[in-house]
Amino acid sequence: MLIAAALMALSSCYKDEPDRNHSIYDDNDIPQRNEFDRWLMKNYTFPYNIEFNYLYNDKLTNNNYNVVPATMENSKAIAILIKHVWLDAYIESAGADFIRKNTFRVFQLIGSPQYNSQGSITLGTAEGGIQVTLFRINELDLENIYVNQDDPYRNHSELPLDLNYWYFHTMHHEFCHILTQKKNYTTDFQSISAGKYHAADWVNVEDKDAAKEGFVTGYASGEYNEDFAEVYSTYVTSSDAAWQAILENGTDGDDTSGRDAIVAKLNIVRTYMSDSWGIDLEALREVVLRRSAEAASLDLITLK
């Protein structure tokens, strides 16, 4: 019996040896990646652990909305733009490790706008700081790349699309939410505009009117977390001329309360970025504005 057991053990061990001539994985399961897929792996996935989805994925989108997939051509362009203007701006200002630790893990591109029931259009969404979804990709005109840094009150529905408003500002806004979720900011920010937030009816607040109430945009008047992210994203994507226009619009005759509130909020944002993340807001803004201005001269077709 002992001899039989030993022979069975030897037999079992022999059968457990892997067959080096055949894989346990089906070759059909290996993803077939095109040139763009490989570029995304090289520039997003391998260095920063970011999954960049340009194909429509119903599991990563809200099925309550009727939207369409992004085109391959425009997906390539927006991937190049985001890398140069947003991703590389933080790498230049704060280092690659900062991005690796704090960035979104999933990008999802949608070709069409997402219209909400109250008539507004969603610029982008961020799911728990993990996924960011960008819309309206198919309306990007590759022959007419436009970045508006100087006029905060341009009609945002006009074409060509303002990349600063629809994409760059949105990316900075959503990224700010990630940072404040990880490290909170002082509650003093909440007290500046306490009692003035519009909650559900912020959609009726025009940007020009918002400044007089102490908000950089109408969207900022919704609640204090959005207010904080809007101050941050608006400041880093606006030229001095644009920022001064907002401050001037926050003054109503001798009443400077709107302007004063915006200035106070910016000071808190500036201190928060420095103390919590070691980032000089002015230096970051300089890099962001320079890289945004370079968008029109980028090759948005060739994958390098």
Side-chain angles (χ1 to χ4, degrees):
M1 290 178 63
L2 290 173
I3 293 173
L7 290 173
M8 290 178 64
L10 288 172
S11 175
S12 298
C13 292
Y14 176 78
K15 290 180 180 179
D16 285 342
E17 284 293 319
D19 185 351
R20 291 178 172 80
N21 297 319
H22 297 86
S23 172
I24 63 173
Y25 299 103
D26 188 343
D27 289 345
N28 294 326
D29 292 336
I30 300 175
Q32 301 301 309
R33 296 189 176 95
N34 57 36
E35 181 188 17
F36 184 33
D37 294 327
R38 293 190 293 272
W39 185 90
L40 291 172
M41 296 290 286
K42 176 183 177 182
N43 291 277
Y44 282 88
T45 307
F46 291 150
Y48 309 113
N49 195 26
I50 297 173
E51 178 184 349
F52 199 104
N53 295 310
Y54 61 94
L55 298 175
Y56 181 81
N57 187 332
D58 60 352
K59 295 180 181 179
L60 299 178
T61 55
N62 190 332
N63 293 321
N64 292 321
Y65 296 91
N66 292 320
V67 294
V68 302
T71 64
M72 174 74 79
E73 182 182 41
N74 282 16
S75 295
K76 290 179 181 178
I78 200 67
I80 294 170
L81 284 165
I82 290 175
K83 180 183 184 303
H84 181 83
V85 175
W86 183 82
L87 189 63
D88 288 349
Y90 282 102
I91 293 171
E92 181 178 340
S93 303
D97 284 343
F98 172 78
I99 280 293
R100 290 189 185 101
K101 293 176 182 177
N102 300 297
T103 190
F104 312 101
R105 297 305 167 198
V106 179
F107 280 77
Q108 177 65 56
L109 302 185
I110 299 294
S112 59
Q114 178 173 288
Y115 292 95
N116 302 306
S117 58
Q118 73 271 43
S120 64
I121 297 178
T122 301
L123 298 184
T125 61
E127 306 296 334
I130 300 298
Q131 173 183 324
V132 62
T133 304
L134 297 177
F135 301 90
R136 219 173 175 182
I137 302 300
N138 293 351
E139 294 182 50
L140 182 65
D141 184 357
L142 302 188
E143 300 298 324
N144 195 2
I145 297 299
Y146 176 70
V147 178
N148 170 34
Q149 297 180 344
D150 300 319
D151 182 6
Y153 302 119
R154 177 183 184 265
N155 185 346
H156 301 307
S157 64
E158 289 183 5
L159 295 176
L161 286 183
D162 174 13
L163 272 64
N164 215 15
Y165 176 78
W166 286 99
Y167 303 121
F168 306 154
H169 172 275
T170 301
M171 293 295 302
H172 291 291
H173 176 103
E174 300 299 349
F175 187 55
C176 183
H177 282 316
I178 291 181
L179 299 181
T180 57
Q181 287 166 10
K182 290 190 172 187
K183 297 181 182 181
N184 208 349
Y185 52 91
T186 176
T187 54
D188 291 345
F189 186 93
Q190 303 175 28
S191 65
I192 296 175
S193 292
K196 295 183 178 180
Y197 289 104
H198 289 260
D201 71 331
W202 64 265
V203 69
N204 298 317
V205 181
E206 297 291 336
D207 288 345
K208 286 187 176 181
D209 299 329
K212 291 181 175 58
E213 297 185 46
F215 304 107
V216 292
T217 63
Y219 186 57
S221 70
E223 56 98 17
Y224 62 84
N225 284 316
E226 301 301 340
D227 192 5
F228 189 96
E230 278 293 275
V231 171
Y232 172 80
S233 55
T234 300
Y235 185 68
V236 299
T237 58
S238 298
S239 67
D240 289 338
W243 187 253
Q244 287 304 314
I246 293 173
L247 294 181
E248 289 172 8
N249 215 46
T251 301
D252 188 7
D254 294 333
D255 183 5
T256 63
S257 59
R259 175 193 178 103
D260 295 342
I262 293 173
V263 170
K265 292 173 183 178
L266 177 61
N267 287 335
I268 289 178
V269 171
R270 184 184 287 113
T271 300
Y272 167 78
M273 292 301 294
S274 176
D275 293 351
S276 297
W277 299 102
I279 293 178
D280 183 334
L281 189 65
E282 303 307 319
L284 171 64
R285 180 181 181 225
E286 182 179 346
V287 172
V288 169
L289 291 177
R290 169 171 53 79
R291 287 183 168 273
S292 297
E294 295 167 351
S297 61
L298 293 177
D299 181 352
L300 302 179
I301 298 175
T302 307
L303 297 174
K304 301 177 182 178

